[in-house]
Amino acid sequence: MICFLLDDKGYLVAHPDLIDPTGRGPVEQQHITHKEPLVANDLLNHRAFVTKKVCASYSDRTIQRYYELNTSLDTVLTNLVHGEHCTKYQVMHVYGTNVFLGIVNQTCDGITAFCPCSMTDRLCLNCHRMEPTECECPCECPLKMDLCSGQLHSSNNHYPTCPHFPELPNLPIVSYNLMEYLKPCYEHHCSLRTESSDCFGVLGCEWCQLESDGVTPLPKFCTEQRKCFGGVLGSRTPYADEIIEKLPESDFPLLSKVIQSVQLLEDS
């Protein structure tokens, strides 16, 4: 008897065969069609549970074939095709997750099913047809398009766009108390550099050019990178060490002189 866990795309989370007996560590990204083709073959007949989908991925110009499992399943699935006595299985949803628990009891040896999979890449073995109940590994086909006009070939223009799930950035939390009494490793003296050629390429310095809105121009000056990352005053840095505040005039004497000159002109 074998127990396994799989997610809502059919990829195995846990399975006895995921651990290589030669000691090379766990194998990742294994689909149920790889390890349990008999179960996968039968599950495809549960139309309300397994949906075989296809979509167009424009970022890498491929047509993706994949599976989607119904996470609202509230019953225990078992063999649907009659006459299969060697392999019995049960699959049920783990409440509150996108995971399913499966149990397989195979009483005969050497019984398997054919789920075509490429052994060298993710290319589908037959890109000209796709049957909703035909077992095959998740795979991809070329998305044929005219590279000059950007238009898809007529045979590829009816597929929906693949869903995109952007990763949310997790910025590290830096305690400024830890760095408060640390001396700088390098004295860059950014505020003393009055020319862009003196500022560019200096570690920790940035040639500040725009207000925080990224549009309004500033009198250009050299300051610390974390105060004006990318040339935009007060913009966030990928290192989570930005200083978002009104910079004191002492940090950029050139700007201070410009402001004083403008004030004198207004007074006169």
Side-chain angles (χ1 to χ4, degrees):
M1 185 175 291
I2 294 175
C3 296
F4 62 85
L5 295 173
L6 72 159
D7 65 12
D8 58 343
K9 301 299 181 187
Y11 286 96
L12 291 167
V13 179
H15 189 281
D17 288 350
L18 291 184
I19 302 299
D20 194 319
T22 60
R24 288 184 293 179
V27 182
E28 297 181 351
Q29 286 295 301
Q30 291 291 298
H31 201 262
I32 188 172
T33 51
H34 295 129
K35 297 298 182 183
E36 298 294 340
L38 280 171
V39 176
N41 243 318
D42 193 86
L43 282 175
L44 283 168
N45 294 286
H46 291 273
R47 298 292 187 90
F49 176 59
V50 180
T51 305
K52 196 173 179 181
K53 293 196 169 186
V54 60
C55 65
S57 174
Y58 295 97
S59 59
D60 55 3
R61 295 206 300 271
T62 58
I63 297 172
Q64 298 288 331
R65 295 181 186 176
Y66 64 100
Y67 295 92
E68 197 167 85
L69 278 57
N70 183 7
T71 54
S72 61
L73 176 72
D74 56 0
T75 59
V76 178
L77 294 183
T78 186
N79 297 64
L80 189 65
V81 177
H82 298 289
E84 181 54 70
H85 303 293
C86 288
T87 301
K88 297 291 184 181
Y89 72 87
Q90 289 185 330
V91 173
M92 65 177 296
H93 178 230
V94 180
Y95 180 75
T97 71
N98 68 330
V99 173
F100 298 86
L101 170 65
I103 300 174
V104 183
N105 185 19
Q106 187 165 327
T107 56
C108 307
D109 294 330
I111 304 297
T112 186
F114 180 62
C115 289
C117 301
S118 173
M119 301 300 292
T120 57
D121 50 28
R122 295 194 72 251
L123 188 66
C124 301
L125 297 186
N126 189 348
C127 286
H128 301 290
R129 58 183 289 273
M130 188 193 79
E131 295 295 332
T133 58
E134 186 176 73
C135 183
E136 66 176 337
C137 298
C139 58
E140 63 188 28
C141 295
L143 182 63
K144 298 177 181 178
M145 61 189 304
D146 188 325
L147 298 181
C148 295
S149 65
Q151 298 297 316
L152 295 176
H153 288 193
S154 57
S155 59
N156 293 161
N157 62 4
H158 59 281
Y159 297 122
T161 303
C162 292
H164 176 63
F165 303 100
E167 295 185 7
L168 297 177
N170 294 319
L171 295 176
I173 299 175
V174 180
S175 174
Y176 292 103
N177 294 330
L178 298 176
M179 302 183 293
E180 186 176 359
Y181 301 105
L182 293 177
K183 294 181 179 180
C185 299
Y186 170 71
E187 295 289 347
H188 39 66
H189 302 297
C190 299
S191 60
L192 300 180
R193 302 176 184 274
T194 57
E195 299 292 333
S196 60
S197 57
D198 296 332
C199 187
F200 285 135
V202 177
L203 182 67
C205 293
E206 189 77 48
W207 190 245
C208 203
Q209 305 178 68
L210 299 174
E211 272 283 8
S212 56
D213 58 7
V215 177
T216 308
L218 277 173
K220 299 173 184 178
F221 60 94
C222 189
T223 187
E224 293 180 49
Q225 186 183 56
R226 60 183 185 154
K227 294 181 179 179
C228 194
F229 186 78
V232 180
L233 185 64
S235 63
R236 295 190 178 276
T237 79
Y239 318 110
D241 63 344
E242 63 273 354
I243 298 177
I244 305 175
E245 60 182 15
K246 187 70 176 177
L247 300 181
E249 293 181 1
S250 59
D251 276 12
F252 36 93
L254 180 61
L255 179 60
S256 177
K257 292 178 182 178
V258 172
I259 294 173
Q260 290 173 5
S261 300
V262 172
Q263 289 175 343
L264 288 173
L265 287 173
E266 290 177 347
D267 294 340
S268 61

